[in-house]
């Protein structure tokens, strides 16, 4: 039999005051500052208490981004990576910022779970196509979000990698049409049947007033194809 003893870590300090001191010397209780501060304080307190006691610590955190400003999520990820050197941490999140902060650490195991047609499948979070870690690409892999920002990044990556002449239209002709055999069935500056879908969507994103907004279906199709080209 395994016996589990639950210990109230705060019991020795039940009459103590844990607070935050502002510049005007005003002191505010941790519980009144906000959930984010309270969560981080609890984490720090538990970590150092276990360290001083020589105990192993297992940390389970569910969606910490709900309580953290985006600018603090990167710093929070650094704290978790530091604590993980001697503790085991399980973290669930919907935040691409947090995933981005830890994605290039080979000591972190990341699993992306996707629900499709009543089944849960695992996606590879490291199926990256860009030459850098992008939050937009993480959103696409983890949540199937086809965004204009990600389309821009993919198009720019292909342009830098494969363009041989100046100009977007020359690149479309040389790479998408001649190299990849994409059909020029879309408008260019009001002229029909001159560029591929990818350049058409790219122009819609950059010149919405003249070209109109890109449709979700065109955006999704173009992103999927361009990912295959990288």
């Amino acid at each position: 039999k395994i016996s589990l003893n639950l210990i109230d870590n705060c019991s020795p300090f039940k009459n103590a005051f844990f607070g935050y001191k502002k510049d005007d010397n005003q002191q505010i209780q941790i519980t009144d500052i906000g959930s984010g501060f309270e969560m981080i304080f609890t984490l720090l307190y538990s970590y150092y208490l276990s360290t001083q006691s020589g105990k192993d610590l297992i940390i389970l955190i569910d969606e910490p981004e709900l309580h953290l400003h985006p600018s603090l999520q990167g710093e929070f990820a650094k704290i978790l990576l530091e604590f993980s050197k001697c503790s085991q941490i399980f973290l669930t999140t919907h935040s691409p910022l947090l995933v981005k902060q830890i994605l290039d650490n080979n000591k972190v195991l990341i699993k992306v779970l996707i629900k499709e047609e009543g089944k849960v499948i695992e996606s590879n979070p490291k199926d990256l196509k860009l030459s850098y870690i992008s939050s937009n690409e993480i959103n696409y892999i983890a949540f199937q979000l086809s965004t204009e920002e990600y389309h821009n990044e993919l198009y720019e990556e292909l342009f830098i990698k494969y363009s041989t002449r100046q100009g977007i239209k020359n690149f479309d002709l040389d790479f998408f049409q001649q190299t990849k055999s994409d059909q020029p069935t879309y408008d260019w500056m009001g002229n029909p049947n001159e560029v591929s879908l990818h350049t058409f969507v790219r122009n819609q994103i950059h010149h919405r007033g003249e070209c109109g907004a890109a449709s979700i279906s065109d955006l999704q199709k173009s992103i999927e194809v361009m990912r295959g080209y990288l």
Side-chain angles (χ1 to χ4, degrees), residues 32 50 61 74 90 92 112 121-122 146 151 173 199:
D32 295 331
S50 66
I61 307 176
F90 294 89
T92 63
V112 176
I121 63 174
E122 183 178 338
S146 298
H151 190 281
L173 177 63
T199 297

Side-chain angles (χ1 to χ4, degrees), residues 169-210:
K169 190 175 183 183
N170 287 332
F171 170 63
D172 185 88
L173 177 63
D174 295 342
F175 181 72
F176 290 125
Q177 296 181 42
Q178 295 184 355
T179 302
K180 295 301 182 181
S181 301
D182 287 329
Q183 296 301 308
T185 54
Y186 294 86
D187 293 356
W188 170 267
M189 298 181 67
N191 300 316
N193 303 325
E194 290 201 5
V195 295
S196 69
L197 169 65
H198 319 297
T199 297
F200 176 70
V201 172
R202 181 262 178 201
N203 288 346
Q204 287 184 302
I205 295 172
H206 286 259
H207 308 285
R208 189 185 300 267
E210 296 85 358

